[in-house]
Amino acid sequence: MTYWFPKTALISSRVPVANEALEVFEGQLPSDLEGHVFANAAVGDMEHESPSQRSDNTPFLNGDGFVFRVSFPGAKGGDVTLSSRPIETPCHIADRILANDESRKDWRFANYGIARISISYLGGRNFANTALLAIPPKNAGDPHRLLATYDAGRPFEIDPVTLRTVRPIGTNADWKGTLMVDHPFPFTNSSAHPAYDPITRELFTVNFVRDAETLLRRLLQWLPSFGPFDLPVGNPLEMLALLDGLEMEGLGRFGPVDLGRRVELVRRAIDLLHSMIVADRPKRATYVMRVDDAGKVDKWKLVDEDGNPIEILHSSHQVGLTKDYILVVDTGFKFEVDQLWSRLAGGDADLERALRGWLSKPQPRPTPVYIVKRADLRAGVDEVRVVSGSLDGEIVHFFTNYELHDGRIVMHVADQRSSDAAEFVTDSDLQQVDPTRKIPREAIGGLSAPMDLNDFACLQLDPKTGIVRRKTAEHNFDHTFGIGLITAPDFPMWRDGKPVTRGTGEPNGPRPQREIDACVFFYAHGFIPSLLSQLVFDLYSKRPSPIVTPKKMLELAKSGGTAATVCRFDTVRNRVVDFCKMPPGAVIISPQFVPGTEGRDFLICNVFTDTSKEIWIFDAMSLRKPLCKLRRKGHEMLPWPYTLHTCWMPEIRELPVVQFDNEDDFRHVRQDREVYAFLRDEVFPHLYR
């Protein structure tokens, strides 16, 4: 049996939908399923209706954020309805205007790998396309709040009823950028999963600044192989000046890439970097930010045990929260500059493949973690000293128990061992199982196949020392190839204002009163042989102590791979206790736990096949077969492509109008009269309406 990537997963529609009735085509809709499931997705760009239409190897994560809402009627009866709308950040509005403005072609945004950039005038896009966070109301009758989030930008609030974009979280002055900081839209590093504490009514996130010298050295690390020279230390602009005047004639060969193409590529890289780095460049720093319900922002710079500033080298995709601590994690979603080369290589597949092979690095392992004591986040304090730790694994997503267990922080983590979510497959990639074949066209821009089994593990972390005192983990061929997103009864929901505490990974440890509260749900992509590229195989075939050796991975590929699954994991017994296995050519993604109104709970998932897109509804305690399946009427496909994170609200109310001072928000670019006039006259009138 051979498994493959479904042809519909990267097809989408950018046409907004308002309360469109869906149909049940199999099973019966539960009468005790009520409320609203929201999903975020990257839906094409201003030039392309869907990711599948692009021919420049742009990763699917590069795309305009769209928020989708599926509303379930419950006992009152009626149709399940679908609504959608783009997330209209300021840069989204600017991008949309410029796409139809022939007089400003040189202002337009263009795709550079995972980023979309207006090089000369505006900066980088904040897509707000990754995750959603539901914030419960303080008082009965108040509306829930909804945040759309992204790893490379500040969050934006969304009205749960109209789906309009309401306002950003914090002003531009509250956030520090890394690159293009003199532009309206600088590259700003944040977390796609801020953490909210409904007891203290506080939102916690991070804002980190990468050192420009570090960025340059990573981008140009292959240049020393061309000749015997040293890059100057300390000033990135001096490094660029040296490279700009470098005479490269006669320097050594770089694989199959001839000298002329090599020189041209360096010139393109230098031009791009000159546009991004300013003389008064930001310094390396990581900040914890705390935002109250009124929008007031406080921030603290993090320093290590020796007083040196913390630098996040890759991403901080998720923030951990306990009653007493904040966890800032340098997560295993790597940042590597080879993601820019697809555009810089100008469509030359041989050149791109050679450069990616040289520049790409494996995911970092272990995963650095920085433990922040919440009591240290006080007024009048600018810096906070952290406790540094190291988590064994390549960790992107996790849960934390709110209360400590025996003085330790309990983390439930997906260890995505050798599953590289930052190595998107391109049309320059060749299949490892058959090097004469390229990656299937319908998967270009999507995720590569894993190179090992993943774990779902429980860690007990000592907050005073940073040492992991205990780790228990499970992996198996049926369930844990390519673990993706996760959900659970208290993510982001709490029950009656109190946290739900899961197990501790100990069979004889404490168990929650309700069996469902011990459970975590995740989906796994399985192993699709045609998505295992030579690049990823070479990156991870030398990893020490794999669970599945490279030889066994090739044997598995030749035998057809493994199925996608959605699983229920028991955090006390520390194993998968229930699952649904998908047929070949189907994937199941974006699981969302939904509490029922009559004691039964549900799991909602999105499913893609070669010919359809569907919503499957499971009894959360019985995943073998869905209770019912939904689709669009008339067999028209659901509008979303590969969806990302989700959240749930029991009810929705329209938000009151909030006044936001756009002119003050963009005061940092007032000195550029032409750019500021464009924002004031053409962008601001369309914002937050």
Side-chain angles (χ1 to χ4, degrees):
M1 188 177 294
T2 299
Y3 293 89
W4 67 89
F5 188 76
K7 294 178 180 179
T8 63
L10 297 182
I11 297 174
S12 61
S13 169
R14 292 168 60 86
V15 178
V17 176
N19 298 311
E20 175 189 315
L22 303 179
E23 69 173 0
V24 176
F25 71 94
E26 186 175 308
Q28 185 173 354
L29 183 70
S31 61
D32 50 341
L33 173 57
E34 186 174 330
H36 310 268
V37 172
F38 297 83
N40 205 339
V43 185
D45 53 42
M46 297 301 168
E47 298 82 35
H48 304 92
E49 184 76 6
S50 75
S52 63
Q53 295 177 351
R54 297 190 286 215
S55 59
D56 58 358
N57 290 326
T58 296
F60 82 100
L61 291 181
N62 175 332
D64 290 319
F66 267 64
V67 60
F68 297 89
R69 185 187 69 230
V70 179
S71 300
F72 296 94
K76 62 180 178 288
D79 290 319
V80 178
T81 61
L82 170 68
S83 299
S84 69
R85 187 166 174 172
I87 300 170
E88 295 178 312
T89 61
C91 58
H92 173 97
I93 300 295
D95 197 352
R96 187 173 67 200
I97 292 170
L98 293 172
N100 299 299
D101 187 346
E102 294 297 319
S103 67
R104 292 195 184 101
K105 287 185 177 180
D106 55 339
W107 288 50
R108 289 178 177 172
F109 291 85
N111 296 326
Y112 286 81
I114 201 170
R116 185 167 169 87
I117 309 171
S118 167
I119 293 292
S120 301
Y121 290 91
L122 298 179
R125 285 291 312 273
N126 175 359
F127 293 121
N129 68 7
T130 305
L132 297 164
L133 177 65
I135 297 179
K138 181 177 181 180
N139 303 305
D142 290 346
H144 286 71
R145 296 173 59 203
L146 179 66
L147 302 186
T149 61
Y150 186 51
D151 290 278
R154 55 184 174 170
F156 281 80
E157 185 165 0
I158 307 297
D159 188 306
V161 176
T162 66
L163 303 183
R164 69 181 178 88
T165 304
V166 175
R167 62 175 176 177
I169 300 301
T171 66
N172 278 311
D174 293 320
W175 296 84
K176 292 185 179 295
T178 292
L179 294 171
M180 308 185 86
V181 296
D182 57 346
H183 288 59
F185 312 124
F187 282 97
T188 302
N189 299 304
S190 183
S191 176
H193 295 284
Y196 187 78
D197 188 332
I199 294 178
T200 63
R201 309 295 304 179
E202 295 171 321
L203 177 77
F204 293 93
T205 189
V206 297
N207 175 209
F208 60 94
V209 178
R210 291 190 180 96
D211 187 273
E213 181 182 345
T214 300
L215 288 174
L216 274 171
R217 286 189 176 277
R218 289 166 69 178
L219 182 59
L220 301 169
Q221 60 189 294
W222 52 281
L223 280 176
S225 67
F226 290 167
F229 65 90
D230 293 321
L231 296 177
V233 176
N235 189 332
L237 294 178
E238 289 181 9
M239 295 167 68
L240 285 173
L242 173 64
L243 292 168
D244 202 21
L246 184 66
E247 185 63 42
M248 289 182 288
E249 295 298 328
L251 298 178
R253 289 187 60 79
F254 175 45
V257 183
D258 64 44
L259 181 62
R261 286 185 290 177
R262 205 165 60 226
V263 172
E264 174 59 24
L265 189 78
V266 173
R267 298 296 180 222
R268 294 177 195 170
I270 289 170
D271 288 343
L272 180 60
L273 289 168
H274 264 304
S275 69
M276 292 186 175
I277 297 177
V278 298
D280 186 20
R281 61 194 182 278
K283 305 296 184 184
R284 175 180 64 179
T286 300
Y287 301 89
V288 161
M289 303 177 73
R290 183 178 66 197
V291 187
D292 65 18
D293 282 349
K296 180 178 179 292
V297 177
D298 296 302
K299 61 193 300 184
W300 293 266
K301 184 178 180 180
L302 303 184
V303 296
D304 64 18
E305 293 84 347
D306 298 321
N308 299 313
I310 297 297
E311 183 176 26
I312 300 296
L313 292 177
H314 291 277
S315 65
S316 191
H317 185 70
Q318 184 167 348
V319 174
L321 170 75
T322 77
K323 180 180 179 180
D324 300 306
Y325 297 95
I326 302 296
L327 300 184
V328 177
V329 184
D330 195 342
T331 46
F333 184 72
K334 71 184 184 186
F335 171 79
E336 289 295 347
V337 294
D338 69 284
Q339 296 160 6
L340 296 175
W341 291 118
S342 181
R343 176 145 187 123
L344 295 178
D348 187 321
D350 290 338
L351 176 60
E352 180 183 343
R353 187 163 56 249
L355 288 167
R356 290 177 64 214
W358 181 265
L359 287 167
S360 297
K361 304 296 181 186
Q363 294 275 37
R365 187 183 184 96
T367 299
V369 60
Y370 306 101
I371 305 167
V372 182
K373 195 172 184 179
R374 290 178 65 172
D376 292 341
L377 304 179
R378 305 186 306 271
V381 175
D382 296 322
E383 292 186 350
V384 172
R385 197 167 296 246
V386 305
V387 173
S388 302
S390 183
L391 307 177
D392 180 22
E394 298 158 43
I395 295 166
V396 180
H397 296 113
F398 58 89
F399 295 104
T400 52
N401 285 2
Y402 191 71
E403 302 283 352
L404 300 185
H405 172 67
D406 291 340
R408 302 171 190 166
I409 298 170
V410 177
M411 300 180 69
H412 300 281
V413 307
D415 178 0
Q416 294 172 297
R417 179 190 293 102
S418 299
S419 296
D420 198 330
E423 288 296 344
F424 306 96
V425 291
T426 77
D427 61 10
S428 70
D429 281 314
L430 301 176
Q431 296 183 32
Q432 178 65 32
V433 70
D434 183 357
T436 66
R437 302 179 66 182
K438 290 192 172 185
I439 303 296
R441 180 68 189 90
E442 61 268 17
I444 298 300
L447 298 172
S448 60
M451 258 296 285
D452 202 351
L453 274 175
N454 298 166
D455 290 337
F456 204 87
C458 179
L459 310 180
Q460 293 187 14
L461 179 66
D462 188 329
K464 297 179 180 178
T465 65
I467 297 173
V468 174
R469 297 293 186 183
R470 179 183 176 88
K471 177 181 179 180
T472 53
E474 195 217 28
H475 51 257
N476 63 61
F477 271 76
D478 291 329
H479 310 133
T480 63
F481 261 122
I483 292 178
L485 311 184
I486 54 180
T487 185
D490 65 337
F491 187 68
M493 300 166 296
W494 294 21
R495 184 173 294 112
D496 300 324
K498 298 179 181 179
V500 175
T501 297
R502 287 168 291 276
T504 59
E506 302 162 318
N508 297 320
R511 186 171 189 88
Q513 291 184 348
R514 297 183 65 207
E515 185 177 0
I516 191 68
D517 293 340
C519 296
V520 170
F521 300 85
F522 64 81
Y523 78 86
H525 297 99
F527 177 59
I528 299 175
S530 62
L531 300 188
L532 179 59
S533 67
Q534 287 184 327
L535 172 67
V536 168
F537 185 87
D538 291 343
L539 276 180
Y540 291 96
S541 60
K542 298 179 178 61
R543 269 282 168 95
S545 305
I547 298 173
V548 184
T549 66
K551 180 180 178 181
K552 291 289 187 182
M553 289 298 298
L554 278 180
E555 291 175 359
L556 181 62
K558 292 175 181 178
S559 69
T562 65
T565 55
V566 62
C567 302
R568 177 163 60 91
F569 184 89
D570 188 302
T571 61
V572 175
R573 288 179 279 181
N574 213 65
R575 62 183 178 88
V576 171
V577 293
D578 193 11
F579 68 95
C580 178
K581 181 178 178 180
M582 303 302 292
V587 295
I588 184 166
I589 62 173
S590 301
Q592 177 59 49
F593 177 87
V594 176
T597 59
E598 299 176 5
R600 179 173 57 165
D601 301 308
F602 302 96
L603 191 71
I604 315 295
C605 300
N606 294 334
V607 170
F608 297 84
T609 72
D610 269 349
T611 58
S612 68
K613 301 180 189 180
E614 303 163 6
I615 301 169
W616 287 16
I617 300 170
F618 295 90
D619 181 327
M621 295 299 288
S622 180
L623 300 183
R624 297 289 172 174
K625 182 180 179 181
L627 297 170
C628 80
K629 300 178 183 179
L630 299 166
R631 66 186 177 195
R632 257 182 156 171
K633 292 183 177 180
H635 302 286
E636 185 180 357
M637 284 196 295
L638 290 162
W640 52 59
Y642 195 100
T643 47
L644 298 172
H645 293 280
T646 58
C647 71
W648 173 83
M649 290 182 181
E651 59 185 9
I652 55 175
R653 291 186 174 88
E654 196 166 344
L655 296 178
V657 175
V658 176
Q659 298 298 322
F660 188 79
D661 191 339
N662 294 307
E663 294 193 6
D664 181 68
D665 194 30
F666 286 92
R667 65 180 184 269
H668 66 288
V669 292
R670 281 180 180 170
Q671 72 279 3
D672 190 329
R673 294 184 179 181
E674 185 180 20
V675 168
Y676 187 74
F678 167 70
L679 296 173
R680 182 193 61 217
D681 300 339
E682 300 187 51
V683 175
F684 293 170
H686 299 283
L687 286 179
Y688 315 132
R689 297 185 179 278

